[in-house]
Amino acid sequence: MTGPRLTPLAASLPAAVPFVGPEAQERTLGHPFAARLGANESVFGPSPRAIAAMQAAVAEIWMYGDPEAHDLRHALAAHHGCAPANIMIGEGIDGMLGYLVRLLVEQSDAVVTSDGAYPTFNYHVTGFGGVLHKVPYAGDHEDPAALMARAAEVDAKLVYLANPDNPMGSHHGGAAIAAALDSLPDGTLLVLDEAYIDLAPEGTAAPVSPDDPRVIRMRTFSKGYGMAGARVGYAIGAAPLIDAFNKVRNHFGMNRAALAGALAALEDQDWMAHVRREVTRARDEIARIARDNGLAPLPSATNFVTVDCGGDGALARRVLEGLVARGVFVRMPFVAPQNRCIRISCGTADQLALLAGALPDALRDARAATKS
Amino acid sequence: MTGPRLTPLAASLPAAVPFVGPEAQERTLGHPFAARLGANESVFGPSPRAIAAMQAAVAEIWMYGDPEAHDLRHALAAHHGCAPANIMIGEGIDGMLGYLVRLLVEQSDAVVTSDGAYPTFNYHVTGFGGVLHKVPYAGDHEDPAALMARAAEVDAKLVYLANPDNPMGSHHGGAAIAAALDSLPDGTLLVLDEAYIDLAPEGTAAPVSPDDPRVIRMRTFSKGYGMAGARVGYAIGAAPLIDAFNKVRNHFGMNRAALAGALAALEDQDWMAHVRREVTRARDEIARIARDNGLAPLPSATNFVTVDCGGDGALARRVLEGLVARGVFVRMPFVAPQNRCIRISCGTADQLALLAGALPDALRDARAATKS
């Protein structure tokens, strides 16, 4: 018997998981993490108004969500000073990236990103048969000039740039991103992932018109807005490209309560200001803990701090494993030289006290294992 | 300037919406529907335990959901007497159908369905470049023998069969479905959409082993479980095919509260029994209202009743429009001869009273317009 016949492309794909969830690690460990500081979630949570809106909407969960997400789309347009036709809402940036890649990339199409940048984007490109071309980071920054040059060289359909960057936490000023567009090849679309923009310094958002057909920007309610588990992301871009999502998206894919929560979260910018203060405080504390242990925290424009462990990837991996074994969930970059670091999400004072307690022992063990 | 370069396939697709949402109609009408009976949602709602679980989980929405949906997957496996490896959870059946089609269908691949069956399945097939071959209904039933015969004829990769059927509400006994598998061509996968199975007579679920590689079954928390707005669907199938979803799915696509709600809903089978009683009562009442107006209700194994308006598609369309104008949201089949009917979801006694009040006038106007 033949069985189901996967497409040649699907058959060739690994059953890849871009990230193993902390829950899977907890099941392996046999107990929950004491501090969940690995997925850049916002432990400070969403606005209480967003929580209230979601709890109220749960009572109406027997109804499908509005497939046009009309109210949230219009509110986002007002927030960004653009037209609703410039906004498309989807199942997190992950979901939006999947739809975007599907629209533009078929087998053998060239796509450019940085070596060590967001793996879920790569997952989608590979998943649709695209060919990834990677340029190195420049120090701990993504390198816009190198990205644009490579895009021209390989005639890329997409070039991916995260600003601020994950996993390094670095950023470019928005003006530099806008200037880089001068070198964007004709026919290449810049995917500007601004997941962490709400936590970045003033001026980090690129001054690019929503109608500029060369750029699509990705935003999310998962980071600053603290609603990672709700799955609400959106794209800002020129109307023809935004409308193209309607060709392929899961029109009824959005959770009804999540839509209501995102709307309430957007309307509570005081809460976002509160989150920014908490994130700043936590970044400073993580940096202090790192320095107290002789490690070098990198500057961060995000809700996490990437910490240079002062060795190679193997050392950083051991430090990470030591923290995980002590109940502190963190992650690390996947490739060299960024993988000399671990990546620690902003936490509460209590959680960071657990980090401060665990790090010296994790470091000591990691260094001992490295010497032996 | 060239602008973003869509793939030839994407460029060829219409910006299609399989269903216009009731919210869009309400915005056009300028007021909400008095009775929302068009989308086969369950107005009887989810289990109060599911609502409580979702409301509690909203407080933890800052965390991503478990990408493996471990707890729900294991609970579903226990419920169905299979292994967790036989279960894949996703963003509603719509989302699961999208992933499945992506795995199996590339340009020019043949897919078989019934003419007038679920349009969202067709949307996905077209969206991945597949070629749809449609067989007529046999009366008001999907025709397993004709589906299998056509699948053999065109060497289909997929054949779609909904049991019970939407939009007609009809069903086959599970044994008949299992028997039809004898005629399934080698290399064709049967997609058995059992969205409404919880509301169907005992014996409707096909006695097919979860490990049978010829079949994948689709189930949902949107219908009987009353959680349409949560977006939780799942597939039951042989482990290799189930695992293949990991190649393409949005691993972090599930709403965390929805996962918690589905788990609580599954554990409250008393509520499902209550819903079944309410659905039976409502089906009887819709049938009574139809007959009182000289119309013929079709037998239903679902949470809706399809009502033959006794004329052609134009008459039924006018009846539908008359109901919509009177605040009663209903839908109708898309193609002839099924489109002689309107489709009315089960409602509360109050909502069905509104239907009873509106239908005579809607019918009178429709018949008058048809004569003129």
Side-chain angles (χ1 to χ4, degrees):
Chain A
M1 204 182 59
T2 306
R5 291 175 287 172
L6 268 58
T7 68
L9 172 60
S12 76
L13 297 173
V17 185
F19 294 100
V20 176
E23 291 81 6
Q25 297 184 49
E26 289 173 339
R27 288 188 288 272
T28 304
L29 290 168
H31 56 80
F33 284 114
R36 182 168 159 134
L37 304 175
N40 302 342
E41 300 157 329
S42 183
V43 69
F44 313 111
S47 158
R49 285 156 61 181
I51 291 178
M54 285 185 271
Q55 288 179 331
V58 160
E60 300 183 338
I61 207 78
W62 61 272
M63 291 185 274
Y64 288 103
D66 175 9
E68 299 176 16
H70 175 276
D71 296 350
L72 180 57
R73 203 158 39 87
H74 280 247
L76 284 167
H79 181 74
H80 290 296
C82 63
N86 294 120
I87 305 279
M88 179 56 72
I89 292 161
E91 303 91 339
I93 289 180
D94 285 2
M96 295 300 292
L97 288 174
Y99 294 135
L100 179 68
V101 171
R102 179 175 165 196
L103 283 170
L104 271 78
V105 176
E106 62 180 357
Q107 294 217 33
S108 308
D109 279 345
V111 175
V112 171
T113 187
S114 304
D115 192 17
Y118 195 49
T120 305
F121 176 72
N122 300 357
Y123 167 78
H124 289 306
V125 171
T126 305
F128 286 101
V131 177
L132 282 163
H133 300 268
K134 298 176 182 177
V135 305
Y137 277 60
D140 294 321
H141 286 70
E142 292 197 36
D143 186 343
L147 288 163
M148 300 303 162
R150 183 63 67 87
E153 208 175 292
V154 301
D155 189 25
K157 279 194 160 179
L158 284 173
V159 54
Y160 174 90
L161 172 60
N163 193 46
D165 173 62
N166 174 24
M168 301 313 280
S170 58
H171 75 288
H172 293 282
I177 301 294
L181 284 176
D182 291 343
S183 316
L184 185 76
D186 187 36
T188 299
L189 179 71
L190 173 62
V191 189
L192 184 56
D193 184 340
E194 298 182 325
Y196 294 95
I197 200 76
D198 304 304
L199 308 162
E202 193 76 26
T204 304
V208 171
S209 165
D211 290 315
D212 190 326
R214 300 172 299 171
V215 184
I216 188 165
R217 275 182 290 173
M218 296 292 175
R219 299 285 184 99
T220 183
F221 285 87
S222 296
K223 303 301 177 186
Y225 288 104
M227 291 172 50
R231 312 317 298 129
V232 187
Y234 61 101
I236 311 172
L241 180 60
I242 290 297
D243 192 42
F245 282 82
N246 284 319
K247 295 167 175 261
V248 298
R249 72 189 181 97
N250 182 1
H251 292 267
F252 286 85
M254 296 298 296
N255 181 287
R256 186 179 179 96
L259 289 173
L263 184 59
L266 184 69
E267 287 167 352
D268 191 355
Q269 291 297 322
D270 287 348
W271 183 261
M272 181 62 84
H274 156 77
V275 169
R276 277 193 206 104
R277 287 190 297 272
E278 293 292 331
V279 163
T280 301
R281 198 190 324 259
R283 286 196 301 229
D284 291 347
E285 178 64 2
I286 296 169
R288 189 192 65 74
I289 293 167
R291 282 193 207 98
D292 283 355
N293 286 274
L295 306 181
L298 274 51
S300 169
T302 65
N303 69 346
F304 61 87
V305 177
T306 301
V307 174
D308 188 337
C309 291
D312 61 4
L315 176 70
R317 168 65 53 193
R318 289 198 186 93
V319 176
L320 177 146
E321 285 166 358
L323 290 173
V324 163
R326 290 168 177 85
V328 179
F329 168 52
V330 300
R331 283 198 174 123
M332 61 181 288
F334 290 95
V335 304
Q338 294 95 307
N339 68 355
R340 71 191 190 281
C341 304
I342 59 172
R343 197 193 67 178
I344 306 168
S345 305
C346 289
T348 61
D350 284 355
Q351 291 165 338
L352 296 187
L354 292 170
L355 171 70
L359 186 54
D361 291 347
L363 260 179
R364 187 201 57 218
D365 292 357
R367 284 170 177 156
T370 305
K371 273 180 204 148
S372 68
Chain B
M1 204 183 54
T2 307
R5 290 176 287 172
L6 268 57
T7 68
L9 173 59
S12 76
L13 297 172
V17 185
F19 293 100
V20 176
E23 291 81 4
Q25 296 183 50
E26 289 173 340
R27 287 188 288 272
T28 304
L29 288 168
H31 57 80
F33 283 115
R36 182 168 160 133
L37 303 175
N40 301 344
E41 299 155 329
S42 182
V43 69
F44 312 111
S47 157
R49 285 157 59 180
I51 291 179
M54 284 185 271
Q55 288 179 332
V58 159
E60 300 183 337
I61 207 79
W62 62 272
M63 289 184 275
Y64 288 102
D66 176 8
E68 298 175 16
H70 174 277
D71 296 350
L72 180 57
R73 202 157 40 89
H74 281 247
L76 284 167
H79 181 74
H80 290 296
C82 63
N86 294 120
I87 305 278
M88 180 57 71
I89 292 161
E91 304 91 338
I93 289 180
D94 285 0
M96 296 299 292
L97 289 174
Y99 294 134
L100 179 68
V101 171
R102 180 175 162 193
L103 283 171
L104 272 77
V105 177
E106 61 180 359
Q107 293 218 34
S108 307
D109 279 344
V111 174
V112 170
T113 186
S114 303
D115 193 17
Y118 194 48
T120 305
F121 176 72
N122 300 356
Y123 167 78
H124 290 307
V125 172
T126 305
F128 286 100
V131 177
L132 283 162
H133 300 267
K134 299 176 180 177
V135 305
Y137 276 60
D140 294 320
H141 287 70
E142 294 197 36
D143 186 342
L147 287 163
M148 301 301 162
R150 183 64 66 86
E153 207 176 293
V154 301
D155 189 25
K157 279 195 158 179
L158 284 172
V159 55
Y160 175 92
L161 170 60
N163 191 46
D165 174 63
N166 173 25
M168 301 312 280
S170 58
H171 75 290
H172 294 282
I177 301 293
L181 283 177
D182 292 343
S183 316
L184 185 75
D186 186 36
T188 299
L189 180 71
L190 173 63
V191 188
L192 184 55
D193 184 340
E194 299 182 326
Y196 295 94
I197 199 76
D198 304 303
L199 308 161
E202 194 76 24
T204 303
V208 171
S209 164
D211 290 314
D212 191 325
R214 300 172 298 172
V215 184
I216 189 165
R217 276 181 290 172
M218 297 291 175
R219 299 285 184 101
T220 184
F221 285 87
S222 296
K223 303 301 177 189
Y225 288 104
M227 291 172 50
R231 312 317 299 126
V232 187
Y234 61 101
I236 309 172
L241 180 59
I242 290 297
D243 191 43
F245 282 81
N246 285 319
K247 297 166 175 260
V248 299
R249 72 188 181 98
N250 182 2
H251 292 266
F252 287 85
M254 296 299 295
N255 182 288
R256 185 179 182 96
L259 289 173
L263 183 59
L266 184 69
E267 286 167 353
D268 191 355
Q269 292 297 321
D270 287 349
W271 183 261
M272 181 61 85
H274 155 78
V275 169
R276 279 194 205 101
R277 289 189 296 272
E278 293 292 332
V279 163
T280 302
R281 197 191 323 258
R283 286 195 300 229
D284 291 347
E285 176 65 5
I286 296 169
R288 191 192 63 75
I289 293 167
R291 282 191 208 97
D292 283 355
N293 285 275
L295 306 181
L298 273 52
S300 169
T302 65
N303 70 346
F304 61 88
V305 177
T306 301
V307 173
D308 188 336
C309 290
D312 61 4
L315 176 70
R317 167 67 51 192
R318 288 197 187 94
V319 175
L320 177 145
E321 286 166 357
L323 290 174
V324 163
R326 288 168 179 86
V328 179
F329 169 52
V330 300
R331 285 201 173 120
M332 62 182 288
F334 289 96
V335 304
Q338 295 95 307
N339 69 357
R340 72 192 189 279
C341 303
I342 58 173
R343 196 193 67 177
I344 305 169
S345 305
C346 289
T348 61
D350 284 354
Q351 291 165 340
L352 296 187
L354 291 170
L355 171 70
L359 186 55
D361 291 346
L363 261 178
R364 185 202 57 219
D365 291 357
R367 286 169 176 156
T370 305
K371 274 180 204 150
S372 68

